[in-house]
Amino acid sequence: KAGVTQTPRYLIKTRGQQVTLSCSPISGHRSVSWYQQTPGQGLQFLFEYFSETQRNKGNFPGRFSGRQFSNSRSEMNVSTLELGDSALYLCASSLWAGGNEQFFGPGTRLTVL
Amino acid sequence: DQQVKQNSPSLSVQEGRISILNCDYTNSMFDYFLWYKKYPAEGPTFLISISSIKDKNEDGRFTVFLNKSAKHLSLHIVPSQPGDSAVYFCAASSGGTTSGSRLTFGEGTQLTVNP
């Protein structure tokens, strides 16, 4: 069974731009969560989607948003990029909402210049 | 407020010996705990988990122990192998279908296994 896939793997953007990252969960998994990893803050929860609905949201500004499609694929969007948004963005999937065992993709490395 | 803490940023052990990685938590609502292993530029790989109704869970060379009264868990790797060298993250969840799958992670411990 294929794992979680994320595209693109690397992105370079400039301040003020917006970016969209994509995540395809493991086949059959219906819950997708997003995390941000930075050297200073570690791994932090962004949001979780299940059945196309956001079920849980972390402590991030409204510039960070996401959505989930009927095939469980998910996208996250960051608008008005800031230098501090440079990070590794990780997507994780699980069978159900509240499915504690989450399986991570390789991440998208975003660099904001 | 760091609800999950891994107080050792690094640990070095000899091949074949036991590696013990520790994790402490403060939130009494956490009821599910996981360990992940991470290589640079890759996503975390799930290793092993434990529910709060248990105090021990084993999977091959990996054993996780949970001490609820002390709010402490540990991961034992026996025997340690050079390929185990990676950053290990402890994570916790309050779980349940009503609150979602939000994982709270510790800062990570860099394990180095020397041949």
Side-chain angles (χ1 to χ4, degrees), chain B residues 26-54:
Chain B
T26 58
N27 189 338
S28 301
M29 298 301 292
F30 288 147
D31 60 5
Y32 201 82
F33 304 89
L34 307 90
W35 284 94
Y36 286 87
K37 170 181 173 181
K38 188 178 185 299
Y39 296 113
E42 293 184 13
T45 300
F46 171 74
L47 280 175
I48 192 168
S49 61
I50 188 166
S51 164
S52 60
I53 63 173
K54 295 185 173 183

Side-chain angles (χ1 to χ4, degrees), chain A residues 56-98:
Chain A
N56 209 342
K57 190 177 193 302
N59 191 23
F60 280 82
R63 300 185 296 106
F64 291 81
S65 62
R67 59 178 176 167
Q68 186 181 34
F69 302 95
S70 58
N71 62 359
S72 296
R73 192 176 69 83
S74 176
E75 290 180 346
M76 68 162 281
N77 185 78
V78 188
S79 62
T80 321
L81 284 166
E82 300 176 0
L83 294 179
D85 297 333
S86 295
L88 181 67
Y89 289 88
L90 292 158
C91 167
S93 76
S94 58
L95 275 170
W96 308 106

Side-chain angles (χ1 to χ4, degrees), chain A residues 15-35:
Chain A
R15 278 180 297 175
Q17 287 188 307
Q18 75 164 21
V19 67
T20 299
L21 312 181
S22 181
C23 171
S24 293
I26 292 170
S27 177
H29 284 197
R30 296 178 59 195
S31 173
V32 173
S33 298
W34 289 89
Y35 294 83

Side-chain angles (χ1 to χ4, degrees), chain B residues 2-114:
Chain B
Q2 190 68 28
Q3 297 184 67
V4 178
K5 285 193 69 66
Q6 294 175 253
N7 290 314
S8 299
S10 63
L11 174 68
S12 183
V13 300
Q14 286 300 121
E15 181 179 4
R17 305 295 291 269
I18 184 171
S19 295
I20 300 176
L21 297 107
N22 294 302
C23 178
D24 296 295
Y25 63 96
T26 58
N27 189 338
S28 301
M29 298 301 292
F30 288 147
D31 60 5
Y32 201 82
F33 304 89
L34 307 90
W35 284 94
Y36 286 87
K37 170 181 173 181
K38 188 178 185 299
Y39 296 113
E42 293 184 13
T45 300
F46 171 74
L47 280 175
I48 192 168
S49 61
I50 188 166
S51 164
S52 60
I53 63 173
K54 295 185 173 183
D55 54 20
K56 177 182 173 182
N57 189 26
E58 285 181 84
D59 185 1
R61 296 185 299 115
F62 302 93
T63 303
V64 56
F65 295 92
L66 175 62
N67 182 333
K68 290 185 291 294
S69 61
K71 293 191 177 67
H72 176 84
L73 63 156
S74 61
L75 174 69
H76 293 208
I77 306 174
V78 183
S80 301
Q81 300 172 353
D84 296 330
S85 297
V87 177
Y88 288 77
F89 288 96
C90 165
S93 167
S94 51
T97 55
T98 55
S99 58
S101 307
R102 176 181 189 152
L103 292 178
T104 301
F105 283 86
E107 307 93 326
T109 297
Q110 171 69 57
L111 172 66
T112 303
V113 181
N114 301 302

